[in-house]
Amino acid sequence: MRHKTLIIQLIRQDLKHSQLTGALKGMGLEDGGLYALDLMALVTQLMQVPAAKLEQFTTTYGQFLDRAPQLPVSFSGQELAPVAEACYRALEGCLG
């Protein structure tokens, strides 16, 4: 259970970061991946994703990150908590 909480927090932070980089991209400031945090790698490791499931897992994770810039932005990122939990559930579904 402790890992689940940590994973959801990491996902939430990655969503918030995606909002930031998406906003910068919208202003014409493309980072070319220079400021990527690669939290997906940590989540993948914590969830012990087998190689056979990696493609589906990363695609699902990426879809959530891609949608993040369209979500409401706030200082705390609390509005991202349910989205991070939904992402976690979807990622678990990839492993099942």
Side-chain angles (χ1 to χ4, degrees):
M1 186 62 127
R2 184 174 172 192
H3 273 48
K4 177 182 176 180
T5 302
L6 175 61
I7 292 165
I8 291 171
Q9 288 174 349
L10 286 169
I11 293 169
R12 190 171 98 195
Q13 291 305 311
D14 212 5
L15 291 168
K16 190 169 181 176
H17 183 261
S18 185
Q19 287 181 319
L20 171 64
T21 56
L24 290 172
K25 184 178 181 180
M27 293 187 297
L29 300 172
E30 180 66 46
D31 73 344
L34 181 63
Y35 299 113
L37 299 177
D38 200 22
L39 295 180
M40 186 187 311
L42 293 173
V43 172
T44 301
Q45 183 179 8
L46 287 169
M47 293 185 77
Q48 300 176 351
V49 179
K53 306 279 184 161
L54 190 58
E55 185 175 346
Q56 180 186 6
F57 187 92
T58 57
T59 298
T60 300
Y61 194 110
Q63 289 170 343
F64 277 88
L65 292 181
D66 289 345
R67 289 193 305 247
Q70 285 79 44
L71 300 172
V73 177
S74 73
F75 177 75
S76 68
Q78 274 305 109
E79 71 287 337
L80 296 174
V83 180
E85 290 176 20
C87 180
Y88 179 81
R89 287 189 303 274
L91 295 174
E92 276 189 318
C94 294
L95 302 176

